[in-house]
Amino acid sequence: MIISDEVLKVSGLSEKQLLLEIVILLFQQEKISLGKASEIISMNQIKLQKLLAERGICVHYDVAELQEDILHLRAKGWL
């Protein structure tokens, strides 16, 4: 993802920090799942959950996400 230098300068954030903020916002708005959020920012889901908890952001988790996690665990051979 390419973020313009002007946007970075105005935000006062690094490209990585700004991407994290965008991903968290999309997660809060239920536009992306926890799994997709962690994938986009290359962060372990547990670490991302801790970060969300520190910010007081509720981790929404539904049946579809459970099924997605089960498929992922099976693909890894962990289930």
Side-chain angles (χ1 to χ4, degrees):
M1 171 181 250
I2 299 173
I3 299 172
S4 75
D5 290 337
E6 183 178 348
V7 171
L8 292 174
K9 184 177 179 182
V10 170
S11 72
L13 301 170
S14 71
E15 189 172 349
K16 185 175 180 177
Q17 291 169 322
L18 185 55
L19 179 59
L20 174 65
E21 296 305 320
I22 292 167
V23 166
I24 288 173
L25 179 64
L26 291 172
F27 176 79
Q28 280 184 290
Q29 295 176 354
E30 298 186 21
K31 304 278 186 195
I32 59 174
S33 68
L34 181 68
K36 181 53 83 175
S38 67
E39 179 184 321
I40 292 170
I41 58 175
S42 301
M43 182 183 287
N44 177 294
Q45 284 190 32
I46 301 299
K47 187 175 179 181
L48 179 55
Q49 286 178 349
K50 288 179 182 179
L51 176 64
L52 294 170
E54 289 169 4
R55 293 182 179 208
I57 299 170
C58 180
V59 176
H60 45 269
Y61 194 78
D62 61 17
V63 173
E65 289 175 308
L66 172 62
Q67 290 171 338
E68 181 182 325
D69 286 346
I70 289 171
L71 289 174
H72 177 73
L73 291 171
R74 284 188 178 144
K76 293 279 188 181
W78 298 339
L79 186 63

